[in-house]
Amino acid sequence: MIKAVVTGHSRGLGAAIAAELVTRGIPVLGLARGHAEIGEGMEQAVVDFGDAAALAAWLQGHTLSSFLAGADTVLLVNNAGVVSPVGPLAEQDPVAALRAAVINVGAPLALSAAFVQAAPQAERRILHVSSGAGRSAYPGWSVYCATKAALDQHARAVALDGDPRVKCVSLAPGVIDTDMQAEIRATPDAKFPLKQRFVDMKEGGVLETPAACAAKLVDCLLSKRFGHEAVDDLRNSAA
């Protein structure tokens, strides 16, 4: 039996991933600040990944282990993330930078450890939703680039641990038509000089839908080759 945990499932790519898993008959525990209408096969818990103390308290409970009990294979999709603060260092809100670090790095790393420990007898697969921004630096995105790069390094280090029953992949999914993309396009040019590139992609119709991306991402997560590359790009793995 397979069970899955998906963070940031209440909208965008996270909602599409959760829906895709449920469609394939895989029970899902969704973790987010809000709820989603996905239907049967979906359990949900309200967790604010930007609140480290609240997340720590939740992780000390039994929701995770209770949900994963009885599964032969368990999946964790660390999807929740934020792009803000955007702008040069001199203009960044320090509190926003701290919150981004907790959401984008602290939460997935803590949840990954708790997830592995909660299902010691199962095969455990962890997928970090990373970004090309973790592999190439962009002006105005120092926080976002750094936090996504951290997920890549986490996956590489987990692979070096050598546990054959724990597989971790940091996967860049490509450019998807989500609220985050709308936020990027609404950013002032002075804060993000490369904004026009993202505007052009939207106007050119090249952004992938969340549903289409989610189907390929779940294929990757369930494939036999999952874990062969600790850091990967969905456009490569889907080829």
Side-chain angles (χ1 to χ4, degrees):
M1 182 180 187
I2 303 175
K3 293 183 179 181
V5 179
V6 179
T7 71
H9 75 287
S10 60
R11 61 178 184 169
L13 180 60
I17 294 168
E20 180 68 23
L21 288 163
V22 168
T23 297
R24 299 191 192 199
I26 298 174
V28 175
L29 171 62
L31 308 177
R33 288 186 297 170
H35 284 82
E37 296 297 329
I38 294 179
E40 294 184 8
M42 182 83 197
E43 295 184 26
Q44 304 183 64
V46 176
V47 182
D48 183 356
F49 290 105
D51 186 335
L55 176 58
W58 187 85
L59 291 173
Q60 290 170 353
H62 302 290
T63 303
L64 192 59
S65 58
S66 295
F67 174 76
L68 297 176
D72 302 307
T73 300
V74 293
L75 317 172
L76 170 61
V77 181
N78 282 313
N79 164 76
V82 294
V83 70
S84 60
V86 176
L89 197 58
E91 298 179 15
Q92 290 176 11
D93 179 354
V95 174
L98 178 60
R99 179 174 173 81
V102 173
I103 294 172
N104 292 359
V105 183
L109 267 56
L111 185 56
S112 295
F115 170 81
V116 166
Q117 295 164 26
Q121 304 305 317
E123 177 186 350
R124 289 144 290 175
R125 297 188 173 196
I126 300 167
L127 189 150
H128 298 319
V129 177
S130 185
S131 169
R135 299 153 202 183
S136 299
Y138 296 101
W141 273 10
S142 59
V143 172
Y144 188 63
C145 290
T147 55
K148 290 303 182 181
L151 296 182
D152 289 356
Q153 286 293 80
H154 181 260
R156 291 187 179 107
V158 169
L160 293 176
D161 289 340
D163 187 337
R165 294 182 64 77
V166 175
K167 299 178 181 179
C168 183
V169 175
S170 189
L171 187 71
V175 187
I176 311 156
D177 197 3
T178 61
D179 290 347
M180 182 179 286
Q181 282 294 312
E183 181 183 348
I184 291 168
R185 295 193 299 272
T187 305
D189 292 344
K191 288 193 172 184
F192 186 48
L194 299 181
K195 183 184 82 170
Q196 190 59 44
R197 172 185 171 187
F198 292 85
V199 173
D200 292 344
M201 285 190 287
K202 174 66 173 178
E203 294 178 348
V206 300
L207 299 183
E208 189 164 39
T209 66
C213 179
K216 289 187 285 189
L217 186 148
V218 172
D219 283 343
C220 174
L221 185 59
L222 297 175
S223 72
K224 292 182 179 179
R225 73 175 297 273
F226 183 84
H228 286 193
E229 296 291 338
V231 176
D232 208 348
D233 189 298
L234 187 57
R235 291 161 289 193
N236 297 333
S237 62

